[in-house]
Amino acid sequence: MSKARIATLWLPLVGLFPSFLALAVIESHVHPRMVEYWVGDLVRDLGSSARFAHGLFVTSTVVACYIAVCCALLAYFCLGIARSSLPRARKKELAWTAVVLWIGFHGLLYGLTFLDLQLFDIAYGALVQVYGAAGSPVTESMTGPMVIPFLSRHLLSVLIPTAMAVGAVCAGSCHAVAVVESAGPDEGDAGKATTSLLHSLMAMSGLLVASSVLITVYFHLPAKLYASSEAASAYRDFAGAVSAFWGAILTLTLVAVYVPPAVGLRSLAGVPLSQLLNTGLDRTSVFFGSLKKSEAVVAALAPFLASLMANIL
């Protein structure tokens, strides 16, 4: 087994670490009474509104587009693994690793729901309470059972995009592993692998930017239910804080997925990443290498910046 393979076996797990770190931090820092106070303050001056129906239509459109983006990214990463120079058996291992990670994430998440964590109360329970207090027909539409027992339209609007996004992140993590393991010690090969990793980073950044936009739209939808501008403003403050929080977690996820493979490539070639980028694209300009590093930094920060911009708009 090569040194690069040994170093990258654990990498697919790292991309899921920020999400569970967020759970631990919120659980240890936020007192349950504070959550009750914060959420309880949101349930006032509510009423059924035609504006909510318009917002729900927009949100449904965003969800549909988002699922399409996730499918495209899944295909991109799976095709990248299939086209790598790795042995067929190793490609199957990576594919199964992505599937196991996807199942394991949802299994662990399902188990955590029985612990009544503060983050669940803030990110999902708060909206359930708002919809429950809004009255007919909002309550029946958003919290009533759908075709599947115990699953409402509201819950499905959370579960389906989340499942697709986690699948894309798991596939992207395994694709990053394939890129590193396919690289040779030659500077030219390592340079091309670095360029491939950068393109993968940009694609994943686009997905997580879309995730930030979807999360912002999701949390701002109930603002259309408020009858007074003061109550609506208080709710928007809540929605802005929560969506910015998730934007930061998505940026950390992107960093967790791509920084370790980049470090692995640098160690493999023994030269700086900017030089590897120049080699991979047949360039020697220092400015060009700096530009590519700037693109990588902007791509890494883009999910968090997108959540801030979406809140402003």
Side-chain angles (χ1 to χ4, degrees):
M1 183 180 292
S2 67
K3 182 178 179 181
R5 181 173 176 179
I6 294 173
T8 55
L9 282 174
W10 56 275
L11 288 181
L13 291 172
V14 179
L16 304 180
F17 177 73
S19 297
F20 293 105
L21 176 63
L23 286 172
V25 170
I26 294 297
E27 188 65 22
S28 61
H29 282 74
V30 180
H31 193 276
R33 292 294 299 274
M34 291 301 297
V35 176
E36 292 177 8
Y37 175 79
W38 196 16
V39 173
D41 187 56
L42 301 178
V43 187
R44 58 189 178 93
D45 295 331
L46 286 165
S48 180
S49 171
R51 294 190 305 122
F52 179 79
H54 300 158
L56 186 59
F57 179 80
V58 172
T59 302
S60 301
T61 303
V62 173
V63 169
C65 294
Y66 179 77
I67 292 175
V69 170
C70 288
C71 290
L73 262 293
L74 272 171
Y76 172 79
F77 291 132
C78 291
L79 191 61
I81 295 173
R83 288 181 172 179
S84 68
S85 59
L86 296 176
R88 184 181 181 86
R90 180 55 179 156
K91 293 177 183 179
K92 289 183 178 180
E93 287 177 9
L94 289 174
W96 278 111
T97 298
V99 172
V100 170
L101 280 175
W102 185 81
I103 295 174
F105 177 89
H106 288 87
L108 184 57
L109 195 62
Y110 179 75
L112 290 173
T113 57
F114 293 98
L115 300 180
D116 193 27
L117 298 177
Q118 311 308 324
L119 186 57
F120 290 171
D121 291 337
I122 295 172
Y124 181 73
L127 270 64
V128 170
Q129 291 192 39
V130 170
Y131 290 140
S136 180
V138 173
T139 301
E140 290 80 359
S141 175
M142 300 303 292
T143 63
M146 207 170 138
V147 178
I148 306 175
F150 310 112
L151 285 180
S152 63
R153 289 182 176 86
H154 180 213
L155 185 55
L156 281 175
S157 71
V158 175
L159 293 179
I160 295 176
T162 299
M164 297 297 297
V166 172
V169 171
C170 292
S173 299
C174 291
H175 176 257
V177 172
V179 169
V180 175
E181 292 186 7
S182 299
D186 179 77
E187 186 176 331
D189 291 339
K192 292 178 181 178
T194 305
T195 302
S196 178
L197 199 65
L198 178 61
H199 292 163
S200 180
L201 167 68
M202 302 292 280
M204 180 72 79
S205 177
L207 170 66
L208 297 184
V209 165
S211 301
S212 294
V213 173
L214 176 60
I215 289 171
T216 303
V217 171
Y218 167 77
F219 278 106
H220 278 78
L221 175 61
K224 299 181 180 299
L225 291 169
Y226 289 89
S228 68
S229 58
E230 180 183 353
S233 177
Y235 177 83
R236 281 193 290 268
D237 289 341
F238 160 80
V242 177
S243 56
F245 166 81
W246 283 114
I249 296 303
L250 293 175
T251 281
L252 289 176
T253 298
L254 195 64
V255 171
V257 169
Y258 287 102
V259 166
V263 173
L265 281 174
R266 187 187 188 285
S267 300
L268 184 67
V271 296
L273 288 175
S274 58
Q275 184 175 335
L276 289 177
L277 283 171
N278 293 340
T279 303
L281 297 175
D282 296 325
R283 304 291 183 92
T284 57
S285 168
V286 174
F287 172 77
F288 187 80
S290 300
L291 181 62
K292 285 299 176 184
K293 285 192 291 184
S294 300
E295 288 180 5
V297 171
V298 171
L301 295 176
F304 177 62
L305 297 177
S307 67
L308 296 181
M309 291 299 297
N311 280 318
I312 294 173
L313 299 176

